[in-house]
Amino acid sequence: MAWEPHAARKTLGWQPPAAARERVDSLMPVYRRFVTGTLEPIVKAYYPALLENAGNEYRKMVELSTKMMLVGHACTEIADYPYDERRQRITCLYGCCCFLADSFLDDFGEEATRAYVTRLELLFTTGWFEVRNERETLFYVVVSRLFAERDILEPTLRQAILRLFEAQRRDVEMRGLEAEMKALPRARRLARLKRLARDRSGHAIILLSAFLLPNLSLDYIRHIFVAGALIMFIDDHGDCYADRADRRVTYMNALGRPEQALRRIFSSHIQKLMQGLRPAAGRDLLIAFLTRYYVTRLQKHREQRRLRGPAWAVYE
């Protein structure tokens, strides 16, 4: 599913600068090759079954990590640092960690999800992670390589790790409060779901930035959090029907008219980024990526509504 300029114009009424759109298009295949070259040897060494997984998980992991690399590129440029090979490697490893962590949270049942959260807290407090299978071995190996790239006791980075973990834990806890959530007035229920989505992805992009940059200003954190939150809203809309099939309630699939709501969210978040970040190549790259992501996930949502099938990755 590729970038569709006409679809973007029809949906948004505007487009990012042509140079930024072309840059996104040219960087995606470059970063996809980098991700494959970095992750495939690690997967072959520690979890080769992932390469032949019936759910095509390896390819989905490559796609997520590729998109993460482009986001990391923009986050780095916005702060006026070079997106060198080391930073590219960090982002690639981070994308792999996010993919595997999300699978532990979402794909193996409630008991496994809660056990993972407990064990992850142990990892962050003691450095210990009891590996039970090859999938967890891959996760621990990638996490170890990622942590080796930075001093994770640096206050900003350590705080970013813990804030993302707390956001994940709140999300998991909320899943067990289905009856209590239903008892809330609709406006309060939607506000909680919206905050959960915002925090989980907002803190994820802050953590990525903390791995990539020596320091983060409060102004930088404020604006990059907006970009991360928008990614989650877009993502949840694209996976709306699959989430419903899995009985997973999100802010986007709890809305009566999600596409209209997402259009408003997208416009307001992009406006904040346009006004809050100084005009530069990094800002334009980030906004061009977010616009592309928005358009392709709208298409995915519509196709999923037509097919009523399971979730799948959008390959670009």
Side-chain angles (χ1 to χ4, degrees), residues 119-228:
R119 295 163 64 214
L120 192 60
E121 183 173 19
L122 185 65
L123 171 65
F124 291 149
T125 54
T126 69
W128 177 257
F129 187 83
E130 182 183 354
V131 175
R132 300 177 177 179
N133 52 50
E134 287 187 339
R135 189 184 193 92
E136 292 185 355
T137 299
L138 176 63
F139 174 71
Y140 191 71
V141 167
V142 174
V143 166
S144 298
R145 295 188 183 194
L146 179 62
F147 283 6
E149 295 286 352
R150 285 279 273 123
D151 176 11
I152 62 169
L153 296 180
E154 191 274 324
T156 300
L157 180 57
R158 181 179 58 187
Q159 183 182 54
I161 291 171
L162 294 177
R163 283 189 178 275
L164 176 57
F165 173 68
E166 284 300 321
Q168 291 175 328
R169 178 157 59 186
R170 287 196 303 272
D171 185 61
V172 169
E173 290 172 349
M174 193 67 71
R175 299 178 198 181
L177 301 175
E178 185 176 355
E180 291 87 339
M181 287 288 286
K182 286 182 178 179
L184 290 175
R186 175 175 169 77
R188 287 184 60 191
R189 184 168 70 252
L190 288 176
R192 286 195 182 184
L193 290 170
K194 188 175 185 179
R195 187 164 56 249
L196 285 172
R198 179 202 69 184
D199 288 354
R200 186 164 164 180
S201 192
H203 288 300
I205 197 172
I206 290 174
L207 178 54
L208 171 62
S209 299
F211 272 115
L212 295 173
L213 303 172
N215 55 72
L216 304 179
S217 70
L218 292 178
D219 191 57
Y220 178 95
I221 290 173
R222 179 165 63 94
H223 290 106
I224 215 68
F225 184 87
V226 169

Side-chain angles (χ1 to χ4, degrees), residues 255-267:
L255 295 173
R257 304 178 69 185
E259 187 165 321
Q260 291 86 339
L262 182 59
R263 185 180 295 113
R264 291 192 297 271
I265 291 170
F266 179 85
S267 296

Side-chain angles (χ1 to χ4, degrees), residues 38-71:
T38 302
L39 295 183
E40 189 167 314
I42 305 175
V43 173
K44 284 182 176 178
Y46 297 101
Y47 186 23
L50 184 64
L51 295 169
E52 305 298 331
N53 185 287
N56 215 9
E57 280 193 292
Y58 174 71
R59 190 177 178 190
K60 293 178 184 179
M61 183 175 74
V62 168
E63 290 305 307
L64 185 148
S65 300
T66 300
K67 294 176 178 63
M68 192 73 75
M69 287 198 66
L70 202 141
V71 172

